[in-house]
Amino acid sequence: MESYCNSRVNCVRIKNNQVDVGGVKIGGNAPIVVQSMTNTKTCDVEASVKQCIDLAEAGCQIIRLTAQNLEAAKALGDISKKFKAAGFSNPLVADIHFLPQTAMEAVEHVEKIRVNPGNFTDKRLDGKPDYTDAEYEAELEKVRQKFTPLVLRCKELGRAIRIGTNHGSLSDRIVRRYGDTSFGMVEAAFEFARICRDLNFHNFLFSFKASNTRIMTQTYRLAVKMMKEEGFSYPLHLGVTEAGFGLDARIKSSMGIGGLLFDGIGDTIRVSLTEDPVAEIPVAKNIAELANKIRSENALPQPNEDIDFYTYNRRETINIDCGNFKIGSDNVPAAASFGDAKNADVQFNNNQAILSNGENIKIASYDCPCKLEDDLKLGKVAAEISTDFLPKCKHLLANENLIFVAPAPVAKKHAVGEARAFVAELKKLGGKNPIWLKFDSSKLVDKNVSEMEQLNEASIYIGSLLVDGIGDIVSVEISGDAEKDTAYALAILQGARARRSKAEYIACPSCGRTLYNIQEAVAKIEKATSHLKNVTIGVMGCIVNGPGEMADADFGYVGGAPGKINLYKNKKCVEVNIPQEQAIERLIQLIKDNGKWQEP
């Protein structure tokens, strides 16, 4: 299968049409641009200006504000004037949902407009039969009529447009024809892009966000492929939407955004945290820096990986029975530790695996072929095997206890690409041995980076490979604390949708549309439910993207009106307008009523 990017084994950036957002260049040869969004009420001009200043001073280059109605769109004019009067030139963006007339007001005041094709014009069929081809084309014509005035005004004023689809808010028309799929997300955006191109307007870019890192990654890959097929290339804004808060949100964002940047995809990024927006900036800057360190100008030869880049399929491996845990095959990936960690599946002490059946796993790691066969006969940890040396080891691949360690990150090397090449060579030789993804920070040349920055890199390395279906054991060596490092490994596995070990939260970062204090609610919900292992809870500020983005959640907590909460079971709303002070208690009762509750 032809690759979607210039190279999957080294980082060569995709060149595209450059977009100008109020003097900030996105795409082409421009550096990666960091963005964020305010969570103030847009009509509160003073609070919004202050937060814009805080973001700009933290290094945020483009700042987005919601314009949920005409009043908010008009307030953007005062915000822009006061922000610039304070000495800042950072471009401002209006986030538009549902109301084309609001966009026409906002475009007069800001440098960019973000439109969501899923709700900019389309209405639901409300139980009517599916669209005929003629009806579908008629709806597209309505889209053209409503979107064209905005495009023409942007062209007049030199504004930019982001055409941003979200996995959870595709239009009824798109879902009925294409399903809630990656293809549907891309096609929805391309419908709007074709209108821009017909009007000779090219100052636009795309985003294809999802809270599921697999879907997010696969959709951006597909978008690049489909752009090639249509003969155009526009910049991409990357983000894992509704990523949540704390450690887990940073892990998900790193693997989703960083994994694509490592493939040379992406021109501007936003890390969405249910926290103060300023907290997003250092995470985003670090992810961009990690990609910059490994960037290359020339693509290396692409190995034949023989995998589908747009659908998740786990690599086929043999099953190794470790007594207390099985590794490979269709078993969930194991978490390994070096030291005593109660949550680890496999523990290593002096490089020997400690297993309940008293046997040793034979481990072959990556770089040096010396004494490999002798080490294996002795049951020791073998020396490291390179891709070039692998064909010489073909006779060892049938060893029923042999596990390979994938190439690990070292300075200025694209470890994800090296691991892909190694696995491709292993597959060519018929090897079905499990793969260990082992992140050891002691091998990094730069020892001055923080623990969180090391975890970002571990998340990109391990998460990217897990999304490709590669990885049967995962370990992280960062903190020196075996228990903490095992928790990191399990969190990465969960962020990549490879294994569940704790409750998961899909939470929006909050914005001017949010109808309650979402940061406070998230903290209380986590405190009450974090002990649950097989439950996903969506915590959403409003109904714009909320019900859609949390579609794969078991339960949802969504702002329905100011200070009022709606509760969801899967996609179905089961209770409405609950006073916020009662809502968490009612959420817990809903979980209990559905048999998902366990006592702490």
Side-chain angles (χ1 to χ4, degrees):
M1 180 180 290
E2 183 181 356
S3 176
Y4 52 88
C5 60
N6 290 322
S7 174
R8 274 179 45 91
V9 294
N10 68 325
C11 180
V12 181
R13 191 168 174 190
I14 292 174
K15 297 295 189 291
N16 47 38
N17 182 64
Q18 191 172 79
V19 168
D20 186 311
V21 183
V24 174
K25 307 295 185 182
I26 298 177
N29 293 314
I32 296 165
V33 174
V34 171
Q35 303 195 32
S36 185
M37 184 175 184
T38 61
N39 62 9
T40 54
K41 299 294 182 186
T42 307
C43 290
D44 186 341
V45 172
E46 296 304 323
S48 297
V49 170
K50 181 182 183 306
Q51 195 165 79
C52 287
I53 291 172
D54 290 344
L55 284 166
E57 289 179 339
C60 180
Q61 295 161 277
I62 297 178
I63 302 165
R64 183 160 48 116
L65 304 96
T66 187
Q68 72 270 38
N69 53 40
L70 197 56
E71 184 184 8
K74 289 178 178 177
L76 292 172
D78 289 334
I79 292 169
S80 179
K81 289 174 186 175
K82 292 191 175 189
F83 183 56
K84 288 178 171 58
F88 296 90
S89 60
N90 307 53
L92 301 182
V93 183
D95 195 54
I96 303 295
H97 293 269
F98 298 115
L99 300 172
Q101 64 268 35
T102 301
M104 293 303 295
E105 173 66 30
V107 74
E108 302 298 320
H109 311 300
V110 297
E111 287 72 31
K112 186 170 79 169
I113 302 290
R114 182 273 174 127
V115 297
N116 183 345
N119 51 38
F120 189 73
T121 59
D122 286 351
K123 306 298 181 185
R124 296 188 63 82
L125 280 180
D126 294 328
K128 296 178 183 178
D130 204 352
Y131 295 90
T132 64
D133 288 347
E135 289 169 337
Y136 196 93
E137 289 302 317
E139 290 300 312
L140 274 180
E141 182 57 32
K142 291 178 184 177
V143 170
R144 180 177 292 273
Q145 290 173 7
K146 291 185 178 180
F147 188 48
T148 292
L150 176 63
V151 175
L152 293 177
R153 190 58 177 152
C154 284
K155 193 173 178 180
E156 280 184 280
L157 297 174
R159 310 302 200 211
I161 295 176
R162 169 157 69 100
I163 304 170
T165 58
N166 280 18
H167 183 236
S169 58
L170 295 177
S171 71
D172 184 62
R173 174 173 58 85
I174 288 289
V175 172
R176 284 174 183 258
R177 176 148 294 197
Y178 302 110
D180 192 8
T181 62
S182 292
F183 184 87
M185 290 174 69
V186 178
E187 180 59 25
F190 279 19
E191 288 179 352
F192 279 61
R194 293 177 192 121
I195 296 169
C196 291
R197 288 172 56 80
D198 288 347
L199 297 169
N200 197 29
F201 177 78
H202 301 282
N203 203 37
F204 69 90
L205 62 156
F206 294 114
S207 66
F208 306 94
K209 294 186 177 183
S211 61
N212 182 320
T213 51
R214 281 184 191 168
I215 292 173
M216 176 260 193
T217 300
Q218 291 159 3
T219 304
Y220 277 102
R221 290 175 178 179
L222 183 63
V224 174
K225 172 179 177 288
M226 290 174 63
M227 276 197 279
K228 284 183 182 179
E229 292 170 350
E230 295 222 8
F232 58 71
S233 183
Y234 292 90
L236 292 171
H237 172 116
L238 306 184
V240 178
T241 194
E242 330 294 6
F245 53 95
L247 187 74
D248 294 327
R250 286 161 172 79
I251 287 172
K252 286 175 68 175
S253 295
S254 293
M255 69 175 63
I257 297 170
L260 289 164
L261 290 178
F262 273 40
D263 279 347
I265 294 172
D267 308 281
T268 178
I269 64 177
R270 187 223 172 162
V271 172
S272 298
L273 302 178
T274 312
E275 302 174 24
D276 186 323
V278 171
E280 299 176 356
I281 308 308
V283 186
K285 290 170 73 173
N286 180 238
I287 294 170
E289 288 165 4
L290 289 169
N292 288 334
K293 285 180 181 178
I294 62 163
R295 185 152 290 144
S296 173
E297 292 299 320
N298 300 304
L300 296 174
Q302 175 68 35
N304 179 18
E305 296 180 80
D306 190 26
I307 63 173
D308 183 347
F309 304 127
Y310 316 106
T311 305
Y312 176 77
N313 289 287
R314 190 169 174 189
R315 173 179 169 266
E316 184 181 355
T317 68
I318 59 174
N319 178 72
I320 296 180
D321 190 345
C322 302
N324 59 339
F325 204 84
K326 293 179 173 60
I327 294 174
S329 187
D330 58 354
N331 303 299
V332 297
S337 74
F338 292 83
D340 185 13
K342 63 181 180 181
N343 290 324
D345 304 302
V346 182
Q347 294 182 16
F348 288 84
N349 186 11
N350 295 324
N351 290 330
Q352 292 293 315
I354 303 170
L355 305 173
S356 64
N357 62 2
E359 296 181 2
N360 289 327
I361 304 174
K362 299 179 176 67
I363 303 295
S365 52
Y366 178 72
D367 285 331
C368 170
C370 61
K371 297 184 180 178
L372 172 65
E373 196 156 8
D374 289 341
D375 283 342
L376 284 173
K377 286 177 181 176
L378 294 172
K380 295 178 180 177
V381 173
E384 302 191 346
I385 304 175
S386 69
T387 302
D388 293 337
F389 188 76
L390 191 54
K392 301 175 186 178
C393 308
K394 185 175 180 180
H395 62 290
L396 301 173
L397 300 182
N399 189 310
E400 63 182 16
N401 281 334
L402 182 61
I403 295 173
F404 286 107
V405 177
V410 294
K412 296 184 179 179
K413 294 187 75 174
H414 190 351
V416 175
E418 289 188 331
R420 287 168 172 166
F422 180 79
V423 171
E425 182 66 19
L426 189 59
K427 186 170 187 176
K428 186 171 77 173
L429 296 172
K432 295 184 178 180
N433 310 76
I435 296 291
W436 182 1
L437 306 179
K438 184 176 184 290
F439 184 88
D440 181 355
S441 64
S442 69
K443 295 193 175 186
L444 301 178
V445 171
D446 187 355
K447 301 296 192 299
N448 295 318
V449 295
S450 69
E451 189 172 312
M452 192 65 235
E453 289 171 327
Q454 292 175 36
L455 183 58
N456 289 343
E457 186 166 0
S459 300
I460 296 171
Y461 167 65
I462 296 172
S464 297
L465 294 168
L466 289 171
V467 166
D468 280 342
I470 297 168
D472 306 283
I473 305 180
V474 166
S475 65
V476 174
E477 299 166 72
I478 290 177
S479 69
D481 180 323
E483 202 71 67
K484 190 175 184 182
D485 284 345
T486 301
Y488 286 157
L490 289 168
I492 292 172
L493 285 166
Q494 182 146 325
R497 299 293 176 111
R499 176 177 178 176
R500 292 286 296 272
S501 58
K502 58 184 178 180
E504 182 166 349
Y505 304 93
I506 300 170
C508 73
S510 183
C511 70
R513 297 188 303 268
T514 302
L515 298 169
Y516 63 97
N517 187 328
I518 193 169
Q519 293 181 32
E520 180 182 285
V522 160
K524 290 180 178 178
I525 290 170
E526 183 193 28
K527 184 177 180 180
T529 62
S530 61
H531 65 285
L532 303 176
K533 287 191 175 181
N534 293 307
V535 170
T536 300
I537 299 173
V539 186
M540 300 292 163
C542 70
I543 60 172
V544 173
N545 290 328
E549 288 300 344
M550 63 174 200
D552 60 350
D554 300 299
F555 305 97
Y557 182 104
V558 180
K564 298 294 178 67
I565 304 299
N566 297 345
L567 295 182
Y568 284 72
K569 169 71 171 69
N570 301 125
K571 298 180 182 181
K572 184 179 179 181
C573 184
V574 294
E575 293 190 62
V576 298
N577 289 334
I578 303 167
Q580 188 183 353
E581 57 271 17
Q582 301 173 19
I584 294 177
E585 183 180 338
R586 298 272 278 275
L587 172 66
I588 292 170
Q589 187 59 51
L590 180 63
I591 296 171
K592 289 179 177 178
D593 291 345
N594 285 273
K596 292 276 190 175
W597 182 261
Q598 296 172 339
E599 292 302 324

